[in-house]
Amino acid sequence: MVHPIKRLIAPALAILSVGALAGSALVLPAAVAPVQAQAARTADRLSGYVAQDVMIPMRDGVRLHAQIWRPATSTAKLPIMMTRSPYGFTAERIDRALAKGGSYGELAQDGFIFVFQDIRGRFGSEGEFVNLRPARTAANGIDEATDTYDTIDWLVKNLPDNNGNVGTFGVSYGGWTAAVSAASGHPALKAISSQASPEDMFIGDDFHHNGAFRLDYAWSWVSALETDGRTMQRFDFGTDDAYDWYLRQTDLANLDRQKLGRSMPSWQNFVAHPTYDDFWKKGRTSHMMPARVAVPNLIVAGWWDQEDFYGPMQIYANQERGDDRNRNYLVVGPWNHGGWRGAGSSYGPFDLGAATGDWFRTAIELPWFRYWLKGQGKLDLPEAWVFQSGSNRWQRQSGWPAKNAVTRNLYLRAGGRLSFDPPERGEAADRFVSDPANPVPYRDRSNLKPFMRPGSNWSTWLADDQAPFARRKDVLFWQTEPLAQDVTIAGDIAAKLFASTSGTDADWVVKLLDVHPDDASQPAALRGRQRMIANDVFRGRFRTSYERPQPIAPGKVLPYSIDLHSASHVFKKGHRIAVQVQSSWFPLIDRNPQTFVPDILKARPADYKAQTHAVFHTPSYPSAISLDLVASAP
């Protein structure tokens, strides 16, 4: 039975969805816990919505907490918009989000019933929390899809003012619960928007990239989320120098026991599953979704998502195989993680030409849900709305990658040259020493705080100037001559390296960059700046198999194919295209000992050794960046 709010959940940082409700980073107190409060009067609400607190029973008897928000003065039967998350919701934050100008303001002003639910074991909900709970294996089991089904069923039967139609949406973890809601099968579920959802936590999302462990993110997430199901406890590093703190940790396998006093489930899963085994494979999002797309899904991604860019792009690609009714849509904008919930007028120092987040919410998200949940308006959407950086133009595409793209190789050449012409005989390899005691930081040390630290600008680190790293001796750098005409990417990017190491393991980090002219033609903040366009890391031990890692033969030249995902970007005339290659990216990625050990998290200090790496560019070993290019627009 619906009753007035009895409990408001205290503030919590949506780690995986920074700014998901407010459009900006949220501040996490040193410790947060549930608090008691009286229901605010309608007149006190910025949004004009009133809220109710409910406990919704699931099929196994567990009750999940939800807040239900309705327009205070509406008498119409309205559709339900639901988001489910482990991060907690506060009445104050939701009210701001639903108010005019808030991150959900466009939807709220149009009139919907909003439901914000804590998933199992988190904040006000009963039961056990399981991170990214895998799909049930028994008919009488439970998972996020069954909890979604039971919640929808209860809502449509117990809210007399609903019209029988439900949409699910959310960012990051909330985007993941929205994605897997497609498997619920409830007839009232009419539309989904999975935004920045992870797809595969070993291959390309929050915790690993191509098997390489995302150290700072994983530790900060686990220590905040799994220490207490009813709170969000930010870990106290005791320093702002994340680089130095992580460098001093010599027993990563037991870091949870040492720093938190007990084992953390997810941390010990990282230790127990260092390869791409069934534990990781069962958690793939697309494999939890129906092979045939039945519920329309608006998938949203950001080109500079620092947490989950791989996820939405891969979910879109996988769902395309079963989209025989044209219900799988994609939007990719110039955003960081969840940046479309804010104004989106800039990213770091880059002016985006308009308030792209506001435009998305008004022109795409609102019409999407109005059409499917209210039967209003016309769905005038291409299959893919894609923002082209460099020109700051939105493009309507019939799919992604662009159908008219042609693949070209941009070759690494001797003398730091980058060219569409292949290498010639006699070009010597480029070599560097990679020392685990002095790993390449992923950003300038002066700006490298723990990502959850107050004052951290982690959310925009991909906007950092990459030029300082090119001056390091352990970073290789190639660039073209100034471009005589625009060069436009509209699709996939991959690095094809031929490389060797003196050790038995190595990481390969590749960055594709847009180098701005260093003259008065550019704003002062952009002169000579090296802008990140695409990037990723590959752990060498997995070069033939993610399931069965193997040592690298010292000194042997081996091929590495590294997926750099995709981009829609114009390298403008007068700019240069550049590539950086390195073998550490700390502490974004954990250090590779560079001597093969079965589990790097169990590596001993003596295992970490400096090694000499080489990248080859000869007719026999033509290292290159593969680009999907199209003719530039006039």
Side-chain angles (χ1 to χ4, degrees), residues 440-442 461 509 511 535-537 582 584-589:
V440 181
Y442 76 94
W461 78 265
V509 178
K511 308 172 192 172
N535 64 85
D536 218 337
V537 57
Q582 59 202 58
S584 53
W585 218 9
F586 190 74
L588 179 72
I589 303 298

Side-chain angles (χ1 to χ4, degrees), residues 310-478:
Y310 175 86
M313 304 299 283
Q314 196 62 39
I315 291 170
Y316 168 77
N318 291 342
Q319 289 284 281
E320 273 296 279
R321 301 185 186 107
D323 185 28
D324 58 3
R325 290 191 283 175
N326 194 31
R327 295 192 168 187
N328 189 46
Y329 290 79
L330 177 68
V331 178
V332 193
W335 305 308
N336 62 342
H337 194 65
W340 50 93
R341 301 246 70 94
S345 57
S346 63
Y347 177 62
F350 301 103
D351 182 3
L352 301 176
T356 62
D358 293 350
W359 177 84
F360 161 76
R361 297 193 307 275
T362 301
I364 298 181
E365 185 179 56
L366 175 58
W368 172 264
F369 284 114
R370 292 186 83 226
Y371 179 82
W372 294 110
L373 303 185
K374 294 183 175 182
Q376 297 175 1
K378 181 181 178 182
L379 194 65
D380 182 26
L381 285 180
E383 181 164 311
W385 263 113
V386 177
F387 185 90
Q388 184 183 77
S389 54
S391 68
N392 288 348
R393 297 171 59 242
W394 284 98
Q395 297 187 321
R396 299 172 68 98
Q397 299 279 0
S398 59
W400 189 257
K403 306 296 186 186
N404 61 335
V406 176
T407 302
R408 294 280 306 277
N409 284 332
L410 192 56
Y411 294 96
L412 312 184
R413 300 291 301 274
R417 292 181 298 129
L418 196 61
S419 172
F420 287 107
D421 297 323
E424 300 173 351
R425 285 180 154 304
E427 296 193 20
D430 289 301
R431 303 178 187 274
F432 66 99
V433 175
S434 174
D435 185 357
N438 182 30
V440 181
Y442 76 94
R443 65 188 318 184
D444 186 273
R445 290 274 310 266
S446 65
N447 208 17
L448 205 163
K449 299 179 180 181
F451 92 90
M452 289 177 58
R453 193 80 167 173
S456 168
N457 57 355
W458 149 268
S459 64
T460 57
W461 78 265
L462 286 169
D464 289 356
D465 184 8
Q466 301 299 303
F469 303 109
R471 295 190 282 270
R472 287 182 60 117
K473 293 181 179 180
D474 50 1
V475 177
L476 301 180
F477 180 70
W478 297 265

Side-chain angles (χ1 to χ4, degrees), residues 272-322:
H273 302 281
T275 65
Y276 196 41
D277 59 14
D278 285 344
F279 173 82
W280 298 110
K281 291 178 181 179
K282 288 190 294 187
R284 289 176 291 189
T285 305
S286 292
H287 291 250
M288 300 183 192
M289 302 170 73
R292 183 171 185 262
V293 179
V295 183
N297 189 0
L298 181 68
I299 299 169
V300 183
W303 287 126
W304 291 281
D305 188 328
Q306 74 281 4
E307 296 168 35
D308 295 293
F309 175 68
Y310 175 86
M313 304 299 283
Q314 196 62 39
I315 291 170
Y316 168 77
N318 291 342
Q319 289 284 281
E320 273 296 279
R321 301 185 186 107

Side-chain angles (χ1 to χ4, degrees), residues 52-108:
Q52 293 176 298
D53 183 81
V54 298
M55 296 296 288
I56 301 176
M58 300 294 104
R59 63 191 62 188
D60 62 348
V62 168
R63 299 181 305 160
L64 303 187
H65 167 262
Q67 290 187 32
I68 300 171
W69 290 68
R70 301 177 180 82
T73 59
S74 175
T75 59
K77 289 187 178 293
L78 300 174
I80 297 168
M81 293 285 294
M82 180 170 71
T83 187
R84 307 180 64 248
S85 168
Y87 299 123
F89 303 99
T90 71
E92 293 76 15
R93 207 169 93 217
I94 294 172
D95 187 42
R96 290 196 303 271
L98 296 179
K100 187 175 182 180
S103 56
Y104 296 158
E106 293 82 1
L107 289 165

Side-chain angles (χ1 to χ4, degrees), residues 191-205:
I192 297 169
S193 183
S194 58
Q195 304 178 2
S197 168
E199 157 69 8
D200 191 315
M201 288 296 190
F202 194 83
I203 301 300
D205 286 306

